Amino acid sequence: MASSHGAPPVFNNKVIAWIDHRLPIFSYIEKEYHTFPTPRNFNYFWNFGAIATVMLLLMIVTGIVLATNYTPHATMAFDSVERIMRDVPSGWLIRYMHMTGASFFFIGVYIHIFRGLYYGSYKAPRELLWILGVLILLLMMATAFMGYVLPWGQMSFWGATVITNLFSAIPVVGDSIVTWLWGGFSVDNPTLNRFFALHYLLPFIIVAVVALHVVALHVHGSNNPLGIDPKGPQDTVPFHPYYTMKDGFGVICFMIVYAAFVFFAPNFLGDVANYVPADPLVTPTHIVPEWYFLPFYAILRAIPDKLGGVIAMFGAIAVLFVLPWLDTSRVRSCTFRPIYKWFVLVLVVVLFLLGWCGANPPEGFFVPLSRICTAYYFFHFLILLPVLGKIERPLPLPPSIADAVLKKKAG
Amino acid sequence: MVASGAMAAVGAIATAWPFINNLNPAADTLALSTVEVNVKAIAVGQAITVKWRGKPVFIRHRTPEEIKEAEQVKLADLPDPETDNARVVDTAKKVRPEWLIVIGVCTHLGCVPLGTKQGDPRGDYNGWFCPCHGSQYDTSGRIRKGPAPKNLAVPEYLFTSDTLVKIG
């Protein structure tokens, strides 16, 4: 079943040829994952798409197994999770894999997004690819939030209360919407039931959007660290074996770190308050979301107005949808943008600072810090990006990928 | 063409409604009964929490100083202006300034404010303090400072005798 660039594959195995003639799955795999021409200059940042895919599948598998022992009822959920941890064979491992897996899924995806930001992967003709990615992020956030509610601990309950109450900020219909979301007058059993149903459903919707993400990716192919288009076969290598192997290596390295957390620090990224059963009458002294929501939580709290805070928080994600049109620079990769490359790193620092603010009570110097960082976040996207693209003088782009790669090797 | 298209749209909306409505509170949830509380044991200056419709309700036996403090606030100083008298009246229109009954849910994002238990922080206005995002309520449960937009809600209640109150 060998094939060269562009020519349709010929399958020597008769069964495969018979199937492929009627349902061309083998041709598809051959074209999209074997001969698929891929820029030859990927660095390790390009591993994170594959890593995120592996984490998504891992979350689905561990999640389905957990669901076989979990009881979505307000009086039984907490105990059923404890039973998984203590009595169910290997239950503790599957749950720690799922719990820690959520964090590592976000780590992988956040690095993947950073890659897109730094190397301008969102620019034409990959705008829809980027938008689908932001949609995946939103779906992931919804899924993670609802999953966190399921153990029905204190942080589950109060996290659900705070986040669903965000919708009460909507004028006029806000309170009715919140009652509708809850299915009652407070977060209670109906809420837990529907969250479980949706937490089971959404990952499969994510899989569907990921499929679209990959379809969009394979129209124009991957971006690369130089941000210039491949101009011919000398600039590319076939996806297999070059990048299947490199992705495999990246996945293994990532899994080593992940496994270290699963086995040696499974609760490091979580909150101890979630090992206390939910109590609707007592709010924990300090409500914090999981770490991957902290920057957005800090933005919510930075605005001293309820509706304003909610708008800012959702706006922080919404602005990513229009990013391809906010960046006016024609150069994709920050390698050739001498000013902007520093601002991308400043943005990362600001996001870490926001995360730090979100993890701490909204008092003292965290208040001004979170406000400054929130202002900077929006300044970066809404003012800096459009303006900088016009005034920045990019470095000269290399004539081709091959040229740049070979020169680097020689020099 | 237009007519059939319009009919299809009407049909689609009509079909969607039961699915949307399905998520609203069920009859048994709506039928949650009222709660009767005997307030005899609550000493002056004390407050208790009772559960009603899955939410905490604070009942505070206010001291004369707390009542005075609440009554003397200028309405112009309040983000959500309301007189103290309007907040301590039961469904029979009887005003009982010594009893303040409010739903213990912060109007910001729904946390339970601290200040009911003895030793809790009660904020700058001697009422309640929400630990989540720092909202502060006064001795009438009115919002004074912080991100919460409204006063703590007053549920419908009726004193059936001097010591028995029915909430809901």
Side-chain angles (χ1 to χ4, degrees), chain A residues 371-399:
Chain A
R371 288 188 185 156
I372 291 166
C373 291
T374 301
Y376 182 82
Y377 182 89
F378 288 102
F379 165 80
H380 177 98
F381 287 106
L382 298 176
I383 296 167
L384 186 81
L385 264 174
V387 173
L388 201 59
K390 305 267 188 210
I391 59 173
E392 182 184 43
R393 180 193 284 259
L395 303 176
L397 296 176

Side-chain angles (χ1 to χ4, degrees), chain A residues 141-159:
Chain A
M141 288 176 153
T143 311
F145 159 66
M146 288 192 271
Y148 192 65
V149 175
L150 303 184
W152 213 241
Q154 270 292 65
M155 222 38 108
S156 299
F157 183 90
W158 290 101

Side-chain angles (χ1 to χ4, degrees), chain A residues 65-322:
Chain A
V65 174
L66 284 174
T68 59
N69 279 301
Y70 170 76
T71 313
H73 190 279
T75 59
M76 291 181 267
F78 188 88
D79 291 343
S80 77
V81 172
E82 285 307 304
R83 185 178 159 267
I84 289 171
M85 294 302 290
R86 293 153 196 247
D87 297 343
V88 176
S90 304
W92 61 274
L93 178 59
I94 310 279
R95 174 160 180 266
Y96 278 156
M97 284 173 80
H98 197 71
M99 222 173 100
T100 312
S103 279
F104 275 78
F105 192 9
F106 272 98
I107 290 173
V109 163
Y110 282 159
I111 297 173
H112 188 64
I113 295 171
F114 169 76
R115 193 280 318 273
L117 277 176
Y118 190 87
Y119 295 107
S121 302
Y122 48 85
K123 292 185 194 183
R126 298 186 182 85
E127 300 96 323
L128 287 180
L129 172 63
W130 171 263
I131 287 173
L132 286 166
V134 180
L135 190 62
I136 292 169
L137 175 66
L138 267 181
L139 286 166
M140 274 177 67
M141 288 176 153
T143 311
F145 159 66
M146 288 192 271
Y148 192 65
V149 175
L150 303 184
W152 213 241
Q154 270 292 65
M155 222 38 108
S156 299
F157 183 90
W158 290 101
T161 299
V162 167
I163 300 302
T164 47
N165 263 308
L166 293 178
F167 294 91
S168 70
I170 301 167
V172 190
V173 291
D175 287 327
S176 313
I177 288 179
V178 173
T179 304
W180 178 74
L181 287 172
W182 287 340
F185 301 106
S186 59
V187 172
D188 209 333
N189 195 47
T191 327
L192 176 61
N193 262 288
R194 62 188 58 180
F195 277 19
F196 178 59
L198 292 173
H199 181 70
Y200 206 113
L201 166 72
L202 286 184
F204 297 97
I205 294 183
I206 294 178
V207 169
V209 183
V210 167
L212 290 176
H213 192 66
V214 172
V215 168
L217 173 71
H218 281 218
V219 177
H220 294 282
S222 298
N223 185 30
N224 63 77
L226 294 170
I228 55 176
D229 294 325
K231 295 187 174 69
Q234 76 281 3
D235 288 344
T236 64
V237 289
F239 188 80
H240 178 74
Y242 291 95
Y243 287 121
T244 44
M245 290 305 118
K246 186 162 179 170
D247 278 347
F249 177 70
V251 167
I252 288 168
C253 291
F254 190 81
M255 286 293 150
I256 289 171
V257 182
Y258 165 62
F261 271 86
V262 168
F263 286 103
F264 299 110
N267 290 305
F268 178 76
L269 295 162
D271 194 303
V272 286
N274 223 27
Y275 284 107
V276 177
D279 182 351
L281 299 186
V282 179
T283 307
T285 44
H286 184 202
I287 295 187
V288 271
E290 292 289 84
W291 69 266
Y292 37 82
F293 290 139
L294 288 175
F296 303 102
Y297 191 57
I299 290 174
L300 167 76
R301 297 192 305 187
I303 314 282
D305 173 79
K306 185 170 165 180
L307 183 59
V310 174
I311 290 172
M313 188 182 75
F314 283 107
I317 305 278
V319 75
L320 297 176
F321 279 108
V322 289

